[in-house]
Amino acid sequence: MKGLILMYHRVADLNADPWELCVQPKHFHEQLEVLRQSYRVLALKKLMEHLKSGGITERSVVVTFDDGYYDNFQLAKPSLEEFEMPATVFLVSGQIEKQNEFWWDELERIFLQPGTLPESVHLTIERKKHVWNLADSSNLSAEDALRYSKWRTDEKPPTWRHSTYYAIWQLMQPLDEAQKQDILHELNVWAGTTRESRPSHKTLSREQVSLLAQGEFMNIGAHSVTHPVLSKFSRETQRQEIEGSKAQLEEILGSPVDTFAYPHGEYSNDTISILRDAGFLCSCSTAPEVMKDEMDPFQLPRFQAMNWDGDQFSKQLLEWFGEK
């Protein structure tokens, strides 16, 4: 028997989404309609019960969200409750109550939103000096920003601003949180911008986390404290990220948090060992595979749900299940 886990991040309609994290509200509603009509949507823990008993029900689907954007509470929760569908939301605990955006969003705001930037960027990262020249793209008009709004990171960058954004993202991803914040501070000073979060990119408050968890359909899981690439760090740092996230969320919720999702989908044998020792039941990766009865509960695969309409989503599900 086969099932699958869906990975969402945001229910939103933005003018720049280079990592394809957003599903428009209309499309999310259509996707839930497809799931209601043709599939059996289960809570993650219910799927784990089936996995332990040796029998995943055919056409089972689990819905998950990563990170902890405000729209998970504002838009995703009401839609899921309307369709009476369970979901697990994996939260980056250190981002709760923060006034600044996730680092990848802040970087996008600096480089991919309209405005004029200095012609060159100078950064020292890991003791290595880097220089990028923005050339004729130092000014990005509102018209050009709109024209390039469909650009994705797996495509050729349309301007030097886009290529610089992606190059700096690649250098920042493996760094620790303090290093990332230092770079963002430096870039905001360079760009003459402030660090306050855009309303469209706000993350959850403590109160909203509590409200998100209320009712029978939403379960909260951990997604680390700062969203690092866990496998790049020592066992002790990984332990602090995992146990710290669990403790912070349990303090807010007043109930156990025992499911996890790997930031960036990256993990090592140490990561799994720490999760087991900390009392977690399972953890989700980003490996795009269907669930089978013999799956390791700490290497659960997931498919990322894109901004598809109902028909596109239906065809994609059939393809994933091997029915097309």
Side-chain angles (χ1 to χ4, degrees):
M1 294 297 187
K2 294 185 293 187
L4 62 82
I5 304 175
L6 293 173
M7 175 179 62
Y8 291 89
H9 293 83
R10 307 200 57 184
V11 177
D13 188 3
L14 303 180
N15 64 357
D17 185 21
W19 295 100
E20 298 186 276
L21 301 183
C22 299
V23 175
Q24 294 174 2
K26 176 185 176 183
H27 288 167
F28 185 61
H29 196 274
E30 291 178 9
Q31 291 180 15
L32 295 184
E33 186 67 57
V34 169
L35 292 175
R36 176 166 66 180
Q37 290 178 356
S38 304
Y39 296 89
R40 186 183 183 200
V41 180
L42 302 175
L44 178 60
K45 290 185 180 181
K46 180 61 68 173
L47 184 74
M48 293 307 304
E49 291 176 11
H50 291 186
L51 190 64
K52 288 181 179 179
S53 64
I56 298 174
T57 305
E58 192 70 24
R59 281 193 157 207
S60 293
V61 174
V62 170
V63 174
T64 67
F65 280 82
D66 283 7
D67 300 334
Y69 287 94
Y70 172 66
D71 55 65
N72 293 182
F73 168 70
Q74 181 191 34
L75 298 173
K77 177 180 170 70
S79 293
L80 288 159
E81 289 178 338
E82 176 188 345
F83 284 88
E84 298 185 341
M85 289 183 183
T88 296
V89 184
F90 297 109
L91 300 182
V92 179
S93 62
Q95 190 66 24
I96 297 169
E97 292 285 354
K98 285 290 181 68
Q99 297 304 308
N100 57 297
E101 299 172 0
F102 281 114
W103 71 267
W104 56 85
D105 289 329
E106 196 166 348
L107 194 65
E108 170 267 314
R109 174 180 54 75
I110 293 169
F111 283 97
L112 304 188
Q113 293 302 309
T116 301
L117 297 173
E119 292 185 358
S120 61
V121 191
H122 298 255
L123 289 175
T124 299
I125 300 175
E126 299 278 79
R127 300 180 181 178
K128 184 177 180 181
K129 294 182 179 180
H130 301 268
V131 179
W132 296 272
N133 292 306
L134 302 184
D136 58 357
S137 67
S138 60
N139 176 58
L140 184 67
S141 68
E143 293 79 9
D144 284 342
L146 182 61
R147 181 189 312 161
Y148 304 137
S149 63
K150 302 300 182 185
W151 175 72
R152 302 294 180 257
T153 54
D154 59 353
E155 302 169 342
K156 181 180 178 180
T159 74
W160 286 108
R161 275 173 76 135
H162 290 75
S163 61
T164 301
Y165 155 81
Y166 186 49
I168 295 175
W169 184 95
Q170 289 178 301
L171 291 169
M172 289 181 67
Q173 190 210 22
L175 303 179
D176 65 34
E177 185 66 10
Q179 291 172 301
K180 288 173 181 169
Q181 293 304 317
D182 286 345
I183 292 169
L184 289 171
H185 173 74
E186 189 173 346
L187 284 172
N188 276 283
V189 171
W190 166 80
T193 51
T194 61
R195 299 198 61 185
E196 188 174 353
S197 176
R198 292 165 284 181
S200 58
H201 289 73
K202 284 189 177 295
T203 51
L204 294 164
S205 67
R206 288 175 59 95
E207 180 183 11
Q208 289 157 0
V209 170
S210 296
L211 292 171
L212 182 67
Q214 286 183 7
E216 59 181 301
F217 297 108
M218 306 297 282
N219 183 260
I220 302 299
H223 197 37
S224 78
V225 176
T226 67
H227 204 280
V229 179
L230 288 169
S231 59
K232 301 284 187 182
F233 292 91
S234 68
R235 183 182 178 92
E236 177 57 23
T237 297
Q238 291 191 58
R239 187 188 65 77
Q240 292 171 1
E241 284 281 343
I242 292 168
E243 294 183 359
S245 183
K246 178 180 172 69
Q248 289 169 1
L249 293 172
E250 289 180 342
E251 188 272 324
I252 294 171
L253 299 169
S255 58
V257 172
D258 50 17
T259 59
F260 193 85
Y262 301 112
H264 304 286
E266 298 287 340
Y267 58 97
S268 64
N269 289 334
D270 274 345
T271 322
I272 294 174
S273 172
I274 294 164
L275 287 165
R276 290 183 186 276
D277 291 346
F280 284 89
L281 300 175
C282 63
S283 187
C284 294
S285 71
T286 58
E289 301 173 23
V290 294
M291 287 279 300
K292 297 178 182 178
D293 292 337
E294 66 275 11
M295 283 286 177
D296 180 346
F298 288 91
Q299 299 184 75
L300 300 178
R302 290 188 294 174
F303 290 98
Q304 183 171 346
M306 302 296 191
N307 186 34
W308 298 305
D309 63 25
D311 289 341
Q312 293 170 317
F313 182 63
S314 180
K315 291 176 182 176
Q316 188 61 66
L317 286 171
L318 290 173
E319 184 176 317
W320 285 336
F321 273 109
E323 298 177 18
K324 182 179 178 181

